[in-house]
Amino acid sequence: MNVEVFKTNVNTRRYANKLVNQIHKTFKQYSANFDLDDCDKILRIQCNEDIIKPGTLISFLQANGCFAEVLPG
């Protein structure tokens, strides 16, 4: 299983849910969830089938009005 963690600027559950739905539609192999209680407003992406492409996901999120950067592991 591959996991990537991103710091975001998402601050509402409604916006997080919208982004998760869009991620699941666009990247069918990804499982996404937000931890808005974390100070970094974390987005976790899991994928069992393929390598996660952070740059592609960050560009997708930016196109949807969201700042995101990979958190170092």
Side-chain angles (χ1 to χ4, degrees):
M1 173 188 305
N2 296 307
V3 177
E4 198 70 63
V5 181
F6 299 85
K7 175 181 179 176
T8 75
N9 66 339
V10 174
N11 54 16
T12 66
R13 179 57 45 201
R14 184 176 184 171
Y15 186 36
N17 289 340
K18 177 184 172 192
L19 287 172
V20 166
N21 287 335
Q22 290 177 332
I23 290 167
H24 289 161
K25 286 180 185 176
T26 305
F27 304 95
K28 297 192 184 305
Q29 69 277 19
Y30 290 0
S31 175
N33 66 66
F34 277 91
D35 181 356
L36 299 182
D37 293 328
D38 187 275
C39 65
D40 288 326
K41 310 299 184 199
I42 287 179
L43 167 62
R44 285 186 191 86
I45 302 292
Q46 296 178 353
C47 183
N48 292 327
E49 303 171 16
D50 202 358
I51 295 171
I52 298 170
K53 298 176 180 136
T56 302
L57 188 61
I58 289 170
S59 294
F60 172 82
L61 292 168
Q62 287 174 340
N64 285 280
C66 175
F67 163 82
E69 67 180 60
V70 176
L71 282 177

